[in-house]
Amino acid sequence: MTDIEAIEPGRTVAVVGTGTMGQGIAQVALVAGHPVRLHDTVPGRAREAAAAITGRLDRLVQKGRLAPRERDAAVARLHEADRLADLSDAALVVEAIVERLEVKQRLFAELEETVADDCLLATNTSSLSVTAIAGALRLPGRFVGLHFFNPAPLLPLVEVVSGFATDETAATRAYATAEAWGKTPVRCADTPGFIVNRLARPFYAEALRVYEERGADPATIDAVLRESGGFRMGPFELTDLIGQDVNEAVTRSVWEAFHQDPKFTPSLAQRRLVESGRLGRKTGRGWYPYGEGADRPCARTEPPAPAPASVTLHGHLGHAQALVGLMEEAGITVRRRRRGARITLPGGGELRLADGRTVFERGGEEIVYFDLAHDYTTATRIALATAATTSAETLQEAVGLFQALGKDVTVIGDVPGMIVARTVAMLVDLAVDAVERGVASADDVDTAMRLGVNYPAGPMEWAAKFGYRAVAGLLRAMHEHHPTGRYAPCLGVLRRACEDETAMKDQDSR
């Protein structure tokens, strides 16, 4: 199928639905050289959309991103279509109308009677089944999902979704066309949430669960995920930006589509926020207050503490091994012992990387858990967790150690998996499960999550750094605390963890 080419620039692309997404998709096709026809059922909307697109092209000229000659040629190719019959010569029709199944089905049934049999039909749906939309069509094989992200002219990702009846030739042509338009397409089977909206659920869900477990407040959780996890925004500030009602609706839609699978269970705390009308920036209040004079809460940060002069490293810290070099650079003496995966502090307390267990269940041991970081060298914050029985001396030594490495330190409640570690483990679990089920390739999963939601690394990349054994161990421990199935590692994670274990034993035996 590699010889299948993109739709030629001179052929017409039609866009049905002229809201924000429809206008954005039309602009992308227009700039790529296609004649574009806009259709909307509301009289005058297509004309307004054409004017808005022209205005955006004018601004691109002003910013030097588009030549005046290219702008004039693009505007000359842009036309309104009062009737569906005016789209009869289209090589591709992209729908971006209301998210209602019956409305989309009716539209495509009418389009099928209008366009030629070789016309590619595509929906930009983000929540409905591509298979269901195409179900009543005479030629469902030419139907695909082309899920752009808002704003379409700026964001590179396009999910190319194959329904149950989609022909491989149609999916390949759609992929090639998106690529020719300067986008980064990824292939995806028709599954609830596709790639991004399916796999992003733990980023929100685990933060909400930590909040519900009273592990930390929203500002602290956001700061830890940004400054330790490397995420561009924290989940609470991001859902305030998206709209709590919108985010909660997507979560609920995916949960229901997966027959209420506990891995996708919505948050009661977020439901209460929506019920209270605190929807985020658009209402002036969500998890945070907005507007003039709003007092934004700060993350919990520990005051300065003295750094220990020396520590003892037992074995290897895995992904956290970079901390050893940082300690030595900071002038802290590191004594080494062969076995284990921990750091012993001068007072006898131990530092361990979050593994899904809590401090209190360790039987009174002097242990401080520290959270996962995307890159311990560049992370500016580290979260610690202790139990009520942990001595003040042990906590102060742990705080002082990380502060000596240039990190802000946050102490959270004794919740299993802490914040970053449990979030990453769940992202990996859902990603591996999707790959194992043929939803998308590992490379496409990582590409989609980096470009679609700006993650610092794709879930499969995270797994390579954190290690499948660590992911499986953390999820198993959390499953013991919450035996609902939410944290039970998928078979793919267990298989990869076993393969890693076998490889390590083979290496040790050489």
Side-chain angles (χ1 to χ4, degrees), residues 394-416:
T394 295
L395 177 58
Q396 285 296 290
E397 287 179 344
V399 170
L401 174 63
F402 282 103
Q403 288 175 340
L405 309 186
K407 319 297 185 187
D408 288 329
V409 178
T410 289
V411 177
I412 68 170
D414 188 18
V415 293

Side-chain angles (χ1 to χ4, degrees), residues 31-384:
V31 172
H34 293 274
V36 173
R37 294 211 178 105
L38 299 172
H39 176 75
D40 200 294
T41 56
V42 179
R45 281 273 177 87
R47 187 178 303 107
E48 293 172 1
I53 293 170
T54 300
R56 283 196 287 272
L57 294 177
D58 290 340
R59 288 191 289 276
L60 289 177
V61 172
Q62 293 168 6
K63 295 176 180 179
R65 298 177 183 171
L66 189 69
R69 182 180 58 188
E70 294 173 332
R71 176 266 183 206
D72 294 342
V75 171
R77 293 193 301 269
L78 181 60
H79 304 283
E80 305 110 51
D82 294 330
R83 304 169 302 153
L84 284 180
D86 297 333
L87 311 181
S88 60
D89 66 335
L92 167 64
V93 180
V94 184
E95 163 272 317
I97 63 174
V98 63
E99 289 285 85
R100 287 173 54 192
L101 178 61
E102 68 280 5
V103 177
K104 292 181 187 288
Q105 288 175 325
R106 188 163 56 248
L107 167 66
F108 282 107
E110 294 176 18
L111 280 169
E112 197 171 38
E113 299 303 315
T114 301
V115 300
D117 285 355
D118 64 349
C119 176
L120 193 64
L121 300 179
T123 175
N124 184 59
T125 186
S126 61
S127 61
L128 299 177
S129 165
V130 171
T131 301
I133 297 172
L137 293 181
R138 176 172 53 87
L139 299 172
R142 53 145 162 202
F143 191 85
V144 299
L146 274 180
H147 181 217
F148 289 77
F149 288 74
N150 191 30
L154 296 179
L155 295 186
L157 185 68
V158 178
E159 292 176 319
V160 180
V161 186
S162 292
F164 186 78
T166 300
D167 289 337
E168 178 63 19
T169 53
T172 302
R173 178 161 282 116
Y175 184 100
T177 300
E179 197 169 40
W181 290 0
K183 297 301 180 182
T184 303
V186 292
R187 290 178 178 270
C188 176
D190 186 18
T191 184
F194 308 144
I195 300 175
V196 173
N197 280 332
R198 171 178 176 164
L199 302 189
R201 297 348 296 164
F203 180 67
Y204 311 109
E206 292 311 307
L208 287 161
R209 182 62 71 94
V210 171
Y211 169 76
E212 290 171 339
E213 293 171 356
R214 305 194 71 175
D217 60 274
T220 296
I221 295 170
D222 277 351
V224 171
L225 281 162
R226 282 196 317 268
E227 300 166 31
S228 183
F231 294 93
R232 186 168 297 184
M233 295 181 72
F236 293 97
E237 58 189 346
L238 181 54
T239 52
D240 268 359
L241 178 63
I242 295 169
Q244 297 299 331
D245 53 339
V246 174
N247 182 262
E248 202 255 357
V250 172
T251 298
R252 190 165 294 277
S253 172
V254 172
W255 176 60
E256 291 173 350
F258 277 106
H259 306 292
Q260 300 185 354
D261 187 322
K263 288 184 183 286
F264 300 99
T265 302
S267 162
L268 181 59
Q270 188 176 38
R271 176 96 289 262
R272 291 291 179 260
L273 199 69
V274 172
E275 290 173 341
S276 71
R278 297 185 174 189
L279 307 183
R281 289 179 179 271
K282 61 186 176 183
T283 61
R285 179 85 189 192
W287 293 109
Y288 302 109
Y290 298 93
E292 188 176 351
D295 187 16
R296 178 75 174 263
C298 297
R300 178 174 176 177
T301 303
E302 293 299 305
S310 65
V311 297
T312 301
L313 170 67
H314 299 264
H316 197 278
L317 298 178
H319 176 53
Q321 187 68 16
L323 290 172
V324 178
L326 294 179
M327 287 186 284
E328 291 175 333
E329 289 176 11
I332 298 171
T333 300
V334 180
R335 302 185 179 91
R336 287 170 167 79
R337 300 289 183 270
R338 289 190 62 185
R339 298 187 178 278
R342 65 190 187 277
I343 294 170
T344 300
L345 298 166
E350 293 183 353
L351 274 172
R352 292 177 178 263
L353 178 60
D355 59 9
R357 291 183 289 180
T358 54
V359 179
F360 74 81
E361 68 185 289
R362 300 299 299 258
E365 296 177 68
E366 281 285 299
I367 289 176
V368 176
Y369 276 116
F370 64 95
D371 207 353
L372 184 66
H374 176 245
D375 183 338
Y376 284 98
T377 304
T378 59
T380 58
R381 183 179 297 272
I382 294 292
L384 306 179

Side-chain angles (χ1 to χ4, degrees), residues 371-507:
D371 207 353
L372 184 66
H374 176 245
D375 183 338
Y376 284 98
T377 304
T378 59
T380 58
R381 183 179 297 272
I382 294 292
L384 306 179
T386 64
T389 56
T390 305
S391 70
E393 178 189 10
T394 295
L395 177 58
Q396 285 296 290
E397 287 179 344
V399 170
L401 174 63
F402 282 103
Q403 288 175 340
L405 309 186
K407 319 297 185 187
D408 288 329
V409 178
T410 289
V411 177
I412 68 170
D414 188 18
V415 293
M418 302 191 70
I419 298 173
V420 181
R422 71 193 281 173
T423 299
V424 168
M426 285 296 285
L427 287 170
V428 170
D429 184 69
L430 292 191
V432 170
D433 187 57
V435 171
E436 291 277 313
R437 293 174 184 270
V439 172
S441 70
D443 286 344
D444 278 354
V445 161
D446 280 350
T447 297
M449 301 312 287
R450 285 197 312 269
L451 299 183
V453 278
N454 292 310
Y455 285 1
M460 308 303 285
E461 292 174 297
W462 266 109
K465 289 183 175 183
F466 196 15
Y468 285 106
R469 292 172 65 241
V471 170
L474 186 146
L475 291 174
R476 279 172 164 154
M478 293 195 65
H479 179 59
E480 292 181 7
H481 291 283
H482 307 283
T484 62
R486 178 187 181 104
Y487 298 107
C490 72
L491 287 175
V493 166
L494 293 176
R495 185 180 300 114
R496 285 165 167 79
C498 287
E499 290 170 353
D500 286 355
E501 182 78 30
T502 300
M504 288 187 66
K505 288 180 179 177
D506 288 345
Q507 187 175 9

